[in-house]
Amino acid sequence: MNHDPAHARFTGCLCALIVGGLLCASPCIAQDSAGKFDPDPMLRRAHMLFDSGQMLESIALYEDIARMSADPDYTVYCYVRVADVLALFLDQRELALTYYDKVIREYPGNWNLANAYFNSAMLLFAEHRYEDATKRFQRYLELFPEARKTATARYMIERMQKETPGPAPVPGVDKTPMPEAEPMVRVLLITADSLQLEFPHSVVMHAASGRRDKLAPGTYRLRVLDGGVSMEGRGLGEEVSFDAGPHGFAHAGRSYAGEAVVSVQGGSMTLINRLPMEQYLEGVVPSEMPPSFAPAALRAQAVAARTFAWRIVTRTREAGKPYDLSAGMMDQAYLGMGVANVATQDAVRLTRGQVLLYHDAPAFTAFHAHSGGVLEDDAAVWSANMPYLKVADDERSEDYKSLDWEYRIAPSELARLLKRNGFSLSRVEGLRVDGRSTSGRIAEVAVTTNDGVLHIRGNSFRLLVGPARMRSLLCDVSRDEDGQFVFNGRGYGHGVGMSQWGAQAMAYAGKDYKDILSTYYPGTTLRALYN
C-alpha cells in the first residue's frame, strides 16, 4: 500500500476536482462568438468519453476544442481538462504541468485559470516541489481571493512551511495501491427516466430510505418520482440496491451477475451493475475478442482487460464517482452473463488477478482489432506518451489475416456530420490528407468548405465520420467519378497497443500469453494482485 501523504492528498483533492469539473456544467464558458465553430457538441462528447472511462479519447477531443475555438474561455477550460486527466488518470505529471503552464502564460487574466493555478499547485506539492507549489498557491490567492478553494490553499501553504520535502517520486509514475482482495467493479448499464428489472429468484432490496424488503421473483418497473426512485408506485429514496445472489438479474434482454444499483442524479435514473472483477471480465473477454481465438490470445486479452479496468477503478473510486466503467462500446464492451463459453472462462480463470505494471503502476493496455501491419505511437493519436506504446512493425497481423476495407462518403453527408459536431458550413468542396504519422497513418486532414479550410486531427476525423466506417487511419483518400470521397485502407482500430489478430497469430505460432503481452507492451511486468 502507498502511505505517501503527498500522494494521498494530491489524489483525493485533484481527483474530486476533475470529476466535479467534468460532471457539472461549465459556468465559466461563454458562447463562441466566432460563428465558425460551436464547441458545445464536441464538449458534450468529450465529457461523455471521460465519463465512460475513455480517458485518452476524451483528452484528444478537449485538445481539439482548445485548438479550434476562437473563444479563449473554451481554450483555457479545455486545456486545463487535458492537464487534469493527464495528471490523475494517465500518470503524465510532467506533461500535465506543461499544459497548466501554457494557459497561465498565454491567457493571463482569464477567469478559468483558477483551476489551472490550484491544480498545478497540488501537482507540484505531490512532486515534492514545495517552493514552486507555495508560489503557485500564493498567486492563486492573489488572483482569485473569492474562489472556493482559498481555505485549502492557505492550509497547504502552512503545511509546506512545516514539512521537509522527501525524495521526489519517479517522474511520470504514480504508484497505485495494491488491492488486498479482488476488487468490485461498478458498471453503468443505462441512464433513463424509467427501467424494468427481472429477477428469476427472490431478491433482497436495500433502499436509501432505510427500507429493506425481500422481493419475490418477477418483473419490477422503476421510474423517477419527486427526485427519487419509485418502484410500483412506492418511493424508495435516491438510491436502491437489489442483491440477487448467484442468480443475478435481467434488463433489456440481458442477464447480469451481482447487484443491481439504481439511483437518481440530476433528474435521471442510472442502473449500475456491481460485481467482482473476475465475473465482470467473464462478460468482457468474449465481447472484445472472438471466443474461437486460441487460448493464449484469449488469456492475453483477459490480462489487458483486467489491467484496463483496474486502472480506471482505482482512480474513479478515489474520486467518489458513482460508477467505474460503462458497458457500451465507448469503453470495454460488457454484455453480462450468457456470453461466455468454456474457452473465455478459462482465459479469465487461468490469469486470475494478473495485470501489467509499469514502474509499479497499472499500464495503459490499449488494444485494437487489427494493426494493418504496423503499430502506432500513442502520442500520434492522443495527448499522452506511454513509453511502451510505440511505432513497431506488426507484419504478423497482416500475414495471418489481411483486413482491407473501403469506405465512400458523399460531400453532403460529410458536411452534415461536420455541422452536427459544431462546424458552421454550407457545403464541403474538397478533402485531402495534410500530414501522416511515422507509422504512415493520417495525422491530419484538411477539409475545404465554402467558408474556408478546416484542419482536423486524424483520429478526431475518424471518430467524427464513424470508426466502424473509417476503420483505421492507415488509408489513402481519393475521389470517384460521382464526386464521393473514397477511403481505401487496411487494419481496424487506432493501432495502439495489442493487435488482437496479431495476438491470434502469435498464439497460432506457439507463443504463450506472456510472450504476446511482452511483445505488445514492452517494458511492462506481469504481476498477480490477488489469488
Side-chain angles (χ1 to χ4, degrees), residues 10-20 88-89 315-316 318-320:
F10 163 72
T11 301
C13 292
L14 187 53
C15 196
L17 184 83
I18 293 172
V19 173
L88 183 63
F89 289 93
R315 279 123 173 107
T316 56
E318 291 163 343

Side-chain angles (χ1 to χ4, degrees), residues 195-200 216-222 231-232 250:
L195 56 88
Q196 183 172 288
L197 297 178
E198 299 175 36
F199 302 107
T219 300
Y220 294 85
R221 294 172 178 80
L222 300 93
M231 184 176 72
E232 308 295 346

Side-chain angles (χ1 to χ4, degrees), residues 11 34-35 45 80 110 133 148 182 208 287 306 331 343 346-347 409 441 480 500 503 510 512:
T11 301
R45 188 174 184 184
V80 172
N110 187 279
R148 60 190 180 90
E182 179 183 354
S287 307
R306 185 182 294 107
D331 218 326
D346 281 349
I409 184 171
R441 288 173 170 82
D480 66 15
Q500 293 173 319
D512 69 12

Side-chain angles (χ1 to χ4, degrees), residues 144-218:
F144 307 99
E146 304 299 323
R148 60 190 180 90
K149 300 183 182 71
T150 54
T152 303
R154 293 190 185 93
Y155 166 79
M156 295 302 295
I157 292 172
E158 293 175 1
R159 175 177 175 174
M160 287 184 286
Q161 289 172 344
K162 299 175 183 178
E163 289 188 8
T164 302
V170 178
V173 174
D174 184 12
K175 292 187 177 181
T176 301
M178 301 298 175
E180 298 177 354
E182 179 183 354
M184 301 294 287
V185 181
R186 302 166 303 168
V187 188
L188 175 66
L189 300 182
I190 191 172
T191 299
D193 295 328
S194 63
L195 56 88
Q196 183 172 288
L197 297 178
E198 299 175 36
F199 302 107
H201 293 265
S202 60
V203 60
V204 178
M205 180 188 74
H206 301 270
S209 61
R211 184 170 184 164
R212 183 179 185 275
D213 289 326
K214 186 173 183 179
L215 305 180

Side-chain angles (χ1 to χ4, degrees), residues 487-506:
F487 298 84
N488 287 287
R490 65 184 192 273
Y492 201 157
H494 46 61
V496 179
M498 184 177 70
S499 167
Q500 293 173 319
W501 278 104
Q504 170 71 346
M506 291 186 68

